[in-house]
Amino acid sequence: MLRLLFSLITTLCLLTSTVNAADKKGNPKPTQADVSYGPYKMNKLDFWQAEGKGPRPILVHIHGGGWIGGDKARIGNIKPFLDKGISYASVNYRLTGEAPLPAPVHDAARAIQFIRSKAGEWNLNKNKIALTGGSAGACTSMWLLLHDDLADPKSKDPVLRESTRVTAAAVGGGQTSIDPKVIEPWLGPNVLKHNMIHKAVGGKSMQDVMDNYPKHEALYKEFSPYNHLTSDDPPLLMTYNNNMKLPSENAGHGIHHPVYGVKMKEKADKAGTECHLLIPGVSKSKQYKDTNSFLMDKLLSKDK
């Protein structure tokens, strides 16, 4: 009985701590919560409607967690965006334990199309949609930013007729490639110890994946944002911590390594696309000091 009571008290303390932490961010409750954007249970998003004259820009958050875990509730302080008249959405998607790639990324793509389909109802500017997220959410955001439009004009589903192209993306600790034959030479063997890499394609283990690499190669190549960067892509800002040590020290260091950003920045510079890389003491932008300044500039500018 005492053990049960202790467990209940502990749970209540944890819940109270979580609520208090959320309150400290100053975020209001969503205008609409758990809006279904697709046919699956995890196809849900929260939406905060900003006030302002005319259709509003929107920032869409895609949560991290290696496509293995995480939740749309894990957002930072969104009040600065709402105060500037920028609406906000946070997206859940199927995780790889339920459905490996392409499911997590294509779900996020549908969420963008769904948000566009709500432009009239939610007072949104279809031409001002930006993405943000960390880790796997960063990888998904970059993939959407750089990938060709997935709109299907002939689809019977009006949502799928909408564009997946966005204005900009600002991401943190993102994987610019998930291909083990690319990232191991970049970062060393420890990066392959992270479960994200083999679970992304439904593998039982990294050894299983490498033993059957030809079977998974197409997925690895398709869902590596680095492979989709071309000269006509929208602006990107990436942030990373400044542990540049190589080879990577462990799985956690490897999966969020700054070299991911260095490689993407090098390719973007050669292609002539706008790309900013913020690594404390290593790399900075002449135009933007942080993620928020970049996003607000791209979403509030009057160019479209």
Side-chain angles (χ1 to χ4, degrees):
M1 187 67 181
L2 287 173
R3 183 176 294 178
L4 177 61
L5 182 61
F6 178 79
S7 177
L8 287 171
I9 292 171
T10 302
T11 301
L12 285 171
C13 287
L14 287 171
L15 288 172
T16 302
S17 174
T18 301
V19 170
N20 288 341
D23 289 346
K24 288 176 182 177
K25 294 175 184 175
N27 293 329
K29 291 182 179 179
T31 309
Q32 296 191 48
D34 288 326
V35 180
S36 179
Y37 67 82
Y40 302 100
K41 181 180 178 181
M42 294 298 289
N43 291 166
K44 298 288 177 65
L45 62 83
D46 295 337
F47 170 69
W48 289 260
Q49 188 163 5
E51 296 180 0
K53 184 178 179 181
R56 307 316 305 153
I58 183 168
L59 177 60
V60 182
H61 172 258
I62 303 172
H63 72 78
W67 297 323
I68 302 167
D71 187 84
K72 61 183 170 60
R74 296 182 184 177
I75 57 173
N77 181 10
I78 69 171
K79 197 168 181 295
F81 295 100
L82 298 176
D83 289 346
K84 289 287 188 179
I86 298 169
S87 291
Y88 195 95
S90 189
V91 176
N92 268 353
Y93 49 85
R94 284 173 291 168
L95 303 174
T96 52
E98 175 188 353
L101 290 172
V105 176
H106 280 183
D107 282 2
R110 182 180 173 89
I112 300 303
Q113 294 172 304
F114 175 84
I115 289 167
R116 268 205 169 87
S117 77
K118 290 287 187 179
E121 183 180 342
W122 289 356
N123 192 34
L124 299 175
N125 181 348
K126 286 188 176 186
N127 294 321
K128 290 291 184 179
I129 300 176
L131 304 177
T132 192
S135 191
C139 184
T140 298
S141 295
M142 289 188 284
W143 187 89
L144 286 166
L145 182 82
L146 305 175
H147 200 277
D148 291 343
D149 200 339
L150 298 180
D152 181 0
K154 297 180 181 179
S155 176
K156 294 180 180 179
D157 182 346
V159 171
L160 295 179
R161 294 199 291 267
E162 297 284 351
S163 174
T164 56
R165 295 293 274 172
V166 296
T167 303
V171 300
Q175 302 81 29
T176 54
S177 175
I178 59 165
D179 187 341
K181 292 203 171 181
V182 172
I183 62 178
E184 184 176 17
W186 283 1
L187 305 168
N190 281 332
V191 67
L192 301 187
K193 295 178 181 178
H194 199 283
N195 289 337
M196 177 183 179
I197 303 302
H198 72 264
K199 288 189 174 183
V201 295
K204 295 178 182 178
S205 65
M206 202 63 234
Q207 189 61 54
D208 168 55
V209 165
M210 296 310 290
D211 288 346
N212 298 280
Y213 180 79
K215 174 184 172 183
H216 305 295
E217 182 177 7
L219 280 176
Y220 278 132
K221 291 185 182 303
E222 168 62 13
F223 291 100
S224 292
Y226 182 88
N227 294 338
H228 297 286
L229 187 146
T230 52
S231 60
D232 59 345
D233 286 324
L236 170 64
L237 182 141
M238 302 173 288
T239 63
Y240 294 86
N241 68 45
N242 62 356
N243 185 351
M244 303 296 296
K245 185 177 179 181
L246 288 172
S248 54
E249 297 176 333
N250 51 51
H253 179 219
I255 205 68
H256 303 119
H257 203 287
V259 163
Y260 280 121
V262 171
K263 295 293 186 181
M264 183 70 93
K265 171 70 170 162
E266 289 174 351
K267 186 172 183 180
D269 287 349
K270 288 179 181 178
T273 62
E274 183 180 347
C275 182
H276 306 271
L277 178 61
L278 304 182
I279 304 172
V282 178
S283 178
K284 62 183 180 179
S285 166
K286 293 180 180 179
Q287 294 172 261
Y288 304 106
K289 64 178 183 179
D290 55 28
T291 295
N292 282 17
S293 61
F294 170 83
L295 288 169
M296 288 181 184
D297 181 53
K298 300 307 179 185
L299 287 171
L300 296 174
S301 63
K302 304 296 184 182
D303 55 341
K304 286 187 180 180

